[in-house]
Amino acid sequence: DAGVTQSPTHLIKTRGQQVTLRCSPKSGHDTVSWYQQALGQGPQFIFQYYEEEERQRGNFPDRFSGHQFPNYSSELNVNALLLGDSALYLCASTHRDQGTQYFGPGTRLLVL
Amino acid sequence: AQSVAQPEDQVNVAEGNPLTVKCTYSVSGNPYLFWYVQYPNRGLQFLLKYITGDNLVKGSYGFEAEFNKSQTSFHLKKPSALVSDSALYFCAVRDNAGGTSYGKLTFGQGTILTVHP
């Protein structure tokens, strides 16, 4: 049973560029959440997708957007990258009735 | 608004001794509480959760946690620590207000656990 997978594992971008991160949920899961974990901090909630709609959003600017596909996989897009966007981006999946979020290994983004 | 506090940045214990990692929370409704562990350069691994029922929750790798509603705490414990338990531990809460079974997790800042041989 494959767990949550994310790609790429590492990414280096420059300020002002755009980036797309990808996530495949655990088998049987239909809900995907994205978190940003800055160095030395706990993960911060970005948004959650269910039935291809953004269901809940944290305190992140509109530069952060997402998408969920019919197969439940998801993308996180960040436009106009800032140095402060450098972080580990975590994807978590769950089944709507279960509640426990299972995390992928993350994508480490470095903005130069 | 929901919040989590982990008052200790670091906890150091000797192998074989019991360990406790502290967590307190604040929610408006009933809490769903979670513990996750993170190894270097890895994602978060689920350890255990409290939803309802018995205040003592047992989880993976011999860990357990005690829910205390009056003290709004959910401390992680293990009777006998192993060197391999050394990692970063996060407590998280989800507010059950409105009876939803989904929603964001709010995490604490994390506690670095070091178990010495």
Side-chain angles (χ1 to χ4, degrees):
Chain A
D1 178 21
V4 180
T5 60
Q6 293 186 242
S7 63
T9 56
H10 295 81
L11 206 51
I12 299 175
K13 292 286 187 179
T14 57
R15 281 181 299 172
Q17 285 189 312
Q18 178 264 344
V19 68
T20 298
L21 310 182
R22 296 176 175 82
C23 171
S24 291
K26 188 177 170 66
S27 177
H29 288 185
D30 55 10
T31 303
V32 173
S33 302
W34 286 92
Y35 294 81
Q36 180 195 65
Q37 185 180 15
L39 200 61
Q41 304 291 321
Q44 299 288 318
F45 176 77
I46 302 175
F47 42 54
Q48 184 178 84
Y49 276 83
Y50 171 66
E51 291 188 340
E52 302 179 50
E53 297 284 335
E54 183 182 290
R55 178 160 66 180
Q56 195 175 21
R57 188 178 181 92
N59 295 324
F60 279 80
D62 292 345
R63 298 186 298 108
F64 290 77
S65 63
H67 188 78
Q68 186 179 34
F69 299 94
N71 67 352
Y72 308 120
S73 67
S74 177
E75 288 182 349
L76 163 66
N77 300 291
V78 187
N79 294 322
L81 284 167
L82 303 174
L83 295 180
D85 295 331
S86 295
L88 180 67
Y89 288 85
L90 296 165
C91 170
S93 74
T94 188
H95 185 274
R96 62 186 180 275
D97 294 328
Q98 185 185 41
T100 300
Q101 295 187 18
Y102 292 89
F103 285 79
T107 294
R108 187 163 297 280
L109 172 64
L110 177 61
V111 182
L112 300 176
Chain B
Q2 54 194 43
S3 65
V4 173
Q6 293 181 240
E8 301 158 317
D9 291 335
Q10 290 195 0
V11 170
N12 296 292
V13 298
E15 188 174 32
N17 283 0
L19 70 86
T20 299
V21 182
K22 296 180 180 177
C23 170
T24 59
Y25 66 90
S26 174
V27 296
S28 56
N30 292 319
Y32 284 6
L33 292 157
F34 303 82
W35 276 101
Y36 289 86
V37 60
Q38 186 174 36
Y39 295 97
N41 299 313
R42 303 283 295 276
L44 274 65
Q45 184 174 340
F46 170 71
L47 282 178
L48 51 78
K49 68 180 178 184
Y50 171 84
I51 302 298
T52 186
D54 195 349
N55 289 343
L56 185 63
V57 178
K58 294 189 182 297
S60 306
Y61 312 115
F63 284 94
E64 57 189 28
E66 186 169 11
F67 171 66
N68 188 315
K69 187 173 183 178
S70 63
Q71 297 185 4
T72 62
S73 67
F74 189 56
H75 300 331
L76 181 70
K77 301 181 179 184
K78 188 173 182 181
S80 180
L82 299 173
V83 172
S84 58
D85 293 331
S86 299
L88 179 58
Y89 289 81
F90 288 101
C91 179
V93 67
R94 191 177 77 238
D95 195 337
N96 193 32
T100 60
S101 62
Y102 61 86
K104 71 176 185 179
L105 291 177
T106 297
F107 287 85
Q109 290 290 88
T111 299
I112 298 172
L113 172 66
T114 303
V115 181
H116 301 281

